[in-house]
Amino acid sequence: MRFIRNTVTAVMKIAVLLVIVVTQCGYTFVTETYTVTTTDTLQSIAERFITKNTGTVRKIDEFEEGIRELNFDVIGNGDVRKGETLKITYWEAD
């Protein structure tokens, strides 16, 4: 249990440091909401938003997985459904 707690603490510290470093280098962390339409898939949404991710280099499958993780309470392991509201995050160069 102690190992898990220490690992989580270390990961959180690294994440905070990463955010500080990236924001100091001229990038802004952006969060948008998006309402799923009839023709959307998780992949099509990721393809639409990855073009806004100008602050870091990410592969489409990583970006898609990031959307799933951020919205797991909404979509779980399934696909998106019309009317669902998703949070999308990305880094934007200033």
Side-chain angles (χ1 to χ4, degrees), residues 66-77:
I67 295 171
R68 180 178 301 286
E69 289 175 6
L70 188 61
N71 296 282
F72 196 79
D73 59 325
V74 176
I75 60 178
N77 286 322

Side-chain angles (χ1 to χ4, degrees), residues 34-37 45 74-76 79-86:
Y34 178 77
T35 303
V36 178
T37 66
I45 295 167
V74 176
I75 60 178
D79 204 3
V80 295
R81 292 185 295 259
K82 179 183 176 188
E84 292 176 325
T85 301
L86 306 178

Side-chain angles (χ1 to χ4, degrees), residues 36-85:
V36 178
T37 66
T38 306
T39 58
D40 284 330
T41 64
L42 190 56
Q43 182 175 353
S44 69
I45 295 167
E47 288 171 351
R48 177 179 300 133
F49 280 90
I50 199 168
T51 59
K52 295 182 175 192
N53 189 63
T54 58
T56 60
V57 177
R58 291 180 74 188
K59 295 179 182 176
I60 189 69
D61 57 332
E62 294 172 332
F63 198 78
E64 185 176 334
E65 187 58 30
I67 295 171
R68 180 178 301 286
E69 289 175 6
L70 188 61
N71 296 282
F72 196 79
D73 59 325
V74 176
I75 60 178
N77 286 322
D79 204 3
V80 295
R81 292 185 295 259
K82 179 183 176 188
E84 292 176 325
T85 301

Side-chain angles (χ1 to χ4, degrees), residues 9-21:
T9 301
V11 169
M12 288 174 32
K13 287 179 180 178
I14 291 169
V16 168
L17 287 173
L18 180 61
V19 168
I20 291 169
V21 168

